[in-house]
Amino acid sequence: MTAVEQPDSVVVDGAAAESDEGGVLGRAYRALSVGVVSVVLLIAFEATAVGTAMPVAARELGGVALYAFAFSGYFTTSLTGMVLAGQWADRRGPLGALSAGIGAFAGGLVVAGTAQVMWVFILGRAVQGLGGGLVIVALYVVVGRAYSERLRPAIMAAFAAAWVVPSVVGPLTSGAVTEHLGWRWVFLGIPALVVLPLGLALPQIRRLAGGPVGARGASSLDRRRIRLALAVSVGAGLLQYAAQDLRPLSVLPGLAGAALLVPATLRLLPRGTYRAARGLPAVVLLRGVSAGSFIAAESFVPLMLVTQRGLSPTLAGFSLAAGGATWALASWVQSRPATAPYRERLMTFGMLLVAGAIAAAPSVLVPAVPVWVVAVAWGFGCFGMGLVISSTSVLLLRLSAPEEAGANSAALQISDALSNVVLLAAAGAAFAALGGGSTAAHTTGSHPAAFAVVFLPMAGVALAGAWVTTRLGEQRGE
């Protein structure tokens, strides 16, 4: 795959060149930037708010035993949405994929919010995940086509900043709505807010980033890649099921899931991803390694603080709140022109911060260690993630030819989502095997070793990510 760098003054996809004066909020880009960032803001608010309402919804619907599927259902279908969006955007432009994705995301929220039984609720989450997969890849293609290379780090930083407020107020707002109005309104209230960002963004996307790139616009969707994406989604779901059910018979769905997942993934990701080949494959691998190790570890931080140190769920959740601000700060740092020549070094530093934060978190298992250590460590870890995640997005677009931006953006998001599924499944299985107790009720004591076996291996994965950052540059002569 030949990488093509776009000149700083050229808008990708042959659209009319726009002046960079004023940056992403200049006259030429203001409506588009506000619209796409608003879409990210709504997705971020939903992601941070739903977790608070989910336990209440599961209890009311009599589906506590199916609780985990409400999360995994979203991630597994999003994998299919990502591949579909990549092809759709490359061949016909990102406008259709983005519109369909927002529609499916809103429709899934309505289905979940009106569900009377747990399986319908899970179906709504699955539809929502499909829409989320379509949206995130389409947004990356919009960035690649509408913004010059000089402005892309800034808009990526804006995406990261859009998570700050939801990460702080999302759980509080969701808790208040759930308590006073009912959990259903956490789901039903968000679709009405989609109208404004759509009205701002869609006309600008049509003007700056609409239409196919070159001759590929006339071709049909690659059905083989769609089948591979479905195999990845089904395989990931089977692995999740097997990891949650540690009975001997669960080995069978686990093996079936691996048989579907591994070959399909190898065909969907750039060749050489699994061995960190220089350039684009290493960028895609780094995205998965960084996101998977961090999210898998972060998922167990509140539970550890509740069961081992006696914090309330609200206080345990707030131990991670400062991370949203440090993540956004790091995204801003990587967006500055002065840091561009040092991007790869910053990413190495970021992965070392992530590994250190994950390794430091289980120190609070020692009673003498104050609990605020986790909050401080996670603030540094989120700073490291802000350096890495935004930079992988910038590098991917730089290394992608215009007609391949959708497929490569899909590969980046697949690596991200798939690593979350696999590493969360592995962490959950190890946690349960070492006497982790119930993760649903927060009432059963858990053995400290069950948490150590989650955090320490994930710190090792993050350290491996630091090595991958040394392979991001293209090999000379390729």
Side-chain angles (χ1 to χ4, degrees):
M1 185 177 297
T2 303
V4 176
E5 292 195 18
Q6 299 299 322
D8 286 355
S9 61
V10 176
V11 176
V12 180
D13 191 36
E18 297 283 354
S19 171
D20 287 354
E21 185 179 355
V24 296
L25 290 179
R27 185 173 60 87
Y29 294 104
R30 186 180 301 122
L32 175 63
S33 297
V34 172
V36 296
V37 171
S38 297
V39 171
V40 175
L41 182 70
L42 289 175
I43 292 175
F45 182 80
E46 185 278 338
T48 56
V50 161
T52 303
M54 199 78 78
V56 180
R59 286 198 303 269
E60 183 175 315
L61 297 175
V64 175
L66 301 173
Y67 181 78
F69 285 98
F71 292 97
S72 61
Y74 181 99
F75 286 117
T76 53
T77 55
S78 69
L79 293 168
T80 299
M82 291 168 188
V83 174
L84 181 60
Q87 294 192 57
W88 193 343
D90 281 344
R91 288 160 172 78
R92 302 175 186 175
L95 186 62
L98 182 62
S99 301
I102 292 177
F105 189 83
L109 285 167
V110 172
V111 171
T114 57
Q116 300 300 315
V117 294
M118 191 62 178
W119 278 115
V120 175
F121 181 86
I122 293 172
L123 174 63
R125 290 286 290 164
V127 173
Q128 189 185 343
L130 180 65
L134 288 168
V135 168
I136 191 63
V137 172
L139 285 178
Y140 271 65
V141 176
V142 169
V143 170
R145 294 190 182 190
Y147 295 89
S148 69
E149 186 175 336
R150 190 181 71 83
L151 293 181
R152 290 174 198 161
I155 193 64
M156 290 299 178
F159 284 178
W163 282 81
V164 175
V165 174
S167 67
V168 176
V169 306
L172 283 177
T173 304
S174 176
V177 170
T178 299
E179 182 178 351
H180 297 292
L181 298 177
W183 64 267
R184 297 182 185 277
W185 287 104
V186 175
F187 294 85
L188 296 176
I190 295 176
L193 302 177
V194 171
V195 177
L196 178 60
L198 275 181
L200 286 172
L202 293 186
Q204 298 302 314
I205 293 172
R206 182 180 291 108
R207 181 174 68 89
L208 294 172
V213 176
R216 292 190 68 179
S219 61
S220 60
L221 296 179
D222 187 343
R223 295 182 180 179
R224 173 179 170 274
R225 288 183 66 84
I226 300 300
R227 289 195 296 268
L228 290 173
L230 289 171
V232 169
S233 294
V234 174
L238 289 172
L239 281 179
Q240 281 277 53
Y241 174 81
Q244 294 170 42
D245 185 358
L246 296 180
R247 293 176 300 176
L249 285 178
S250 66
V251 173
L252 296 178
L255 291 175
L260 286 171
L261 183 67
V262 174
T265 301
L266 292 177
R267 289 171 172 82
L268 285 173
L269 299 182
R271 182 172 297 180
T273 298
Y274 73 95
R275 56 183 174 84
R278 287 190 176 276
L280 183 64
V283 172
V284 172
L285 177 63
L286 177 63
R287 181 58 166 259
V289 168
S290 58
S293 60
F294 189 79
I295 296 302
E298 185 179 62
S299 300
F300 286 86
V301 169
L303 183 63
M304 178 175 65
L305 294 176
V306 168
T307 60
Q308 301 299 307
R309 299 303 297 264
L311 268 66
S312 68
T314 300
L315 286 177
F318 271 114
S319 68
L320 307 177
T326 58
W327 190 313
L329 175 62
S331 296
W332 177 83
V333 169
Q334 66 80 38
S335 73
R336 310 316 298 162
T339 63
Y342 310 102
R343 185 175 301 281
E344 293 175 19
R345 295 180 186 177
L346 286 174
M347 296 172 78
T348 303
F349 176 63
M351 287 309 304
L352 292 175
L353 286 178
V354 172
I358 296 174
S363 65
V364 298
L365 294 170
V366 179
V369 176
V371 293
W372 54 258
V373 168
V374 171
V376 173
W378 225 249
F380 281 103
C382 286
F383 188 88
M385 287 295 287
L387 292 175
V388 173
I389 296 298
S390 295
S391 291
T392 56
S393 303
V394 172
L395 287 177
L396 177 119
L397 292 173
R398 180 188 301 169
L399 295 169
S400 298
E403 68 273 11
E404 295 175 334
N408 290 343
S409 296
L412 190 76
Q413 297 302 324
I414 288 170
S415 179
D416 187 322
L418 187 58
S419 66
N420 287 342
V421 171
V422 172
L423 291 180
L424 272 169
F431 182 75
L434 270 74
S438 172
T439 61
H442 301 297
T443 56
T444 303
S446 302
H447 196 283
F451 290 100
V453 81
V454 169
F455 288 99
L456 297 183
M458 294 305 149
V461 173
L463 275 178
W467 171 79
V468 176
T469 63
T470 66
R471 316 232 347 132
L472 300 178
E474 286 191 292
Q475 192 172 18
R476 300 302 180 189
E478 286 186 347

